């Protein structure tokens, strides 16, 4: 289904290297925190944000940003993995960012992959984001198939936090983090596209040539639920921060 929209542009910032693009993302996140020290960040996992988180840790150590009052909500979590599982997104966030900055662990939220009532946990997550005043800056990566968070192609533009089945492609891509593909969970909890589009600012980071086609479709392709990232063009304040390799196919 193709979604018609009036505003259909996305800001694009291109840097020659992944390091520079990552530093730019860190600067934007730190800027949001400095503008609103008790604000709300939406965070992502995966290979893409690792360097940005390292840059952010560097800024924190240099005294350029204070996370003590900030609240964070992560995009997604595998169903079935406990928080301390090495491949859980909670564990990733603790390792890659939270334990190296002064965020209050009680103010960091990741969907609960072990919730006994998943539907209730999802609506609770939405309520917590609302009660926190909404997300000031949401960081995103992009999947090869255009997914954002675990909103795979076909996800509704107004979808909310919910349980989803991962596509075979996503399972294969994520198998690199597990000992074998059989260990990759088949389901996840993800913020919905509607949830993401409510963030006041969205920064999507894409690195490497492997993302070039997905980036091109996001920026120039039809706005369609078949390429979820293209739906970001319905938002007023989205910036795609790219390295040169990911920007290669942009005209
Ligand atoms: C991560 C997430 C995913 C990733 C995407 C890209 O929280 O929701 O959408 O952003 O799969 O993954 P990487 O960065 O590993 O290429």
């Amino acid at each position: 289904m193709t979604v018609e929209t009036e505003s259909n542009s996305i800001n694009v910032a291109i840097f020659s290297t992944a390091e520079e693009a990552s530093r730019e993302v860190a600067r934007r996140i730190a800027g949001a925190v400095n503008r609103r020290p008790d604000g709300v960040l939406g965070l992502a996992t995966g290979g893409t944000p690792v360097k940005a988180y390292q840059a952010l840790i560097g800024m924190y150590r240099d005294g350029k940003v204070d996370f003590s009052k900030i609240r964070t909500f992560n995009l997604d979590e595998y169903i079935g993995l406990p928080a301390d599982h090495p491949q859980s997104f909670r564990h990733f966030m603790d390792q890659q960012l939270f334990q190296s900055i002064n965020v209050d662990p009680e103010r960091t939220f990741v969907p609960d992959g072990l919730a006994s009532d998943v539907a209730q946990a999802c609506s609770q997550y939405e309520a917590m984001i609302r009660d926190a005043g909404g997300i000031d800056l949401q960081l995103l990566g992009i999947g090869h198939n255009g997914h954002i968070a675990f909103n795979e192609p076909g996800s509704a533009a107004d979808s909310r936090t919910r349980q989803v089945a991962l596509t075979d492609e996503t399972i294969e891509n994520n198998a690199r983090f597990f000992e074998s593909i059989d260990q990759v969970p088949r389901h996840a909890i993800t913020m919905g596209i509607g949830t993401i589009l409510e963030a006041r600012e969205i920064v999507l980071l894409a690195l490497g040539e492997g993302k070039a086609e997905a980036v091109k479709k996001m920026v120039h392709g039809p706005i369609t639920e078949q390429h979820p990232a293209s739906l970001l063009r319905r938002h007023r304040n989205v910036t795609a921060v790219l390295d040169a390799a990911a920007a290669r196919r942009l005209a």
Side-chain angles (χ1 to χ4, degrees):
M1 178 189 145
T2 300
V3 182
E4 298 296 333
T5 174
E6 282 176 24
S7 95
N8 60 359
S9 70
I10 195 163
N11 303 309
V12 177
I14 303 172
F15 295 82
S16 27
T17 65
E19 285 71 22
E20 286 172 67
S22 300
R23 274 199 298 274
E24 170 64 13
V25 165
R27 269 195 301 274
R28 285 171 182 258
I29 295 174
V33 175
N34 288 334
R35 278 194 299 279
R36 199 171 158 223
D38 60 349
V40 181
L41 296 176
L43 297 176
T45 59
T48 306
V50 170
K51 286 194 175 82
Y53 290 155
Q54 283 165 2
L56 210 48
I57 292 166
M59 292 181 79
Y60 163 68
R61 290 191 177 142
D62 291 343
K64 291 183 178 152
V65 57
D66 171 13
F67 294 96
S68 59
K69 298 199 189 76
I70 216 77
R71 239 176 292 204
T72 70
F73 288 90
N74 261 79
L75 288 169
D76 40 19
E77 179 61 283
Y78 289 121
I79 288 186
L81 298 192
D84 62 355
H85 187 285
Q87 298 311 335
S88 79
F89 290 167
R90 158 57 75 183
H91 187 258
F92 174 100
M93 291 308 300
D94 289 345
Q95 295 291 313
Q96 298 294 331
L97 184 65
F98 296 154
Q99 67 182 26
S100 302
I101 59 174
N102 66 337
V103 69
D104 175 355
E106 300 286 314
R107 294 165 80 88
T108 66
F109 302 94
V110 180
D112 179 4
L114 289 187
S116 51
D117 185 339
V118 174
Q120 195 206 359
C122 292
S123 45
Q124 221 166 30
Y125 202 67
E126 290 273 339
M128 285 193 300
I129 294 172
R130 249 192 333 269
D131 292 349
I135 292 172
D136 293 302
L137 184 149
Q138 176 67 58
L139 175 62
L140 297 177
I142 182 171
H144 296 99
N145 60 4
H147 74 211
I148 49 174
F150 275 134
N151 295 288
E152 301 284 12
S155 298
D158 62 355
S159 51
R160 311 302 307 187
T161 302
R162 68 201 185 287
Q163 172 169 339
V164 291
L166 305 187
T167 61
D168 291 345
E169 186 186 358
T170 297
I171 291 167
E172 278 160 32
N173 275 324
N174 291 0
R176 66 200 146 115
F177 299 114
F178 291 80
E179 277 172 25
S180 83
I181 195 162
D182 303 334
Q183 292 178 7
V184 185
R186 268 40 186 170
H187 295 90
I189 295 176
T190 184
M191 276 188 205
I193 296 173
T195 321
I196 291 168
L197 289 176
E198 280 171 12
R200 286 182 269 280
E201 178 181 0
I202 297 175
V203 175
L204 182 142
L205 177 61
L207 304 174
E209 201 170 348
K211 299 292 174 68
E213 187 61 29
V215 166
K216 179 183 160 191
K217 286 185 181 156
M218 166 177 74
V219 176
H220 293 309
I223 295 176
T224 167
E225 290 171 346
Q226 295 313 317
H227 195 74
S230 68
L231 299 168
L232 295 173
R233 280 153 53 202
R234 292 174 140 193
H235 193 279
R236 286 162 180 275
N237 188 6
V238 185
T239 305
V241 178
L242 311 173
D243 67 1
R248 233 180 114 148
R249 287 169 183 249
L250 294 183

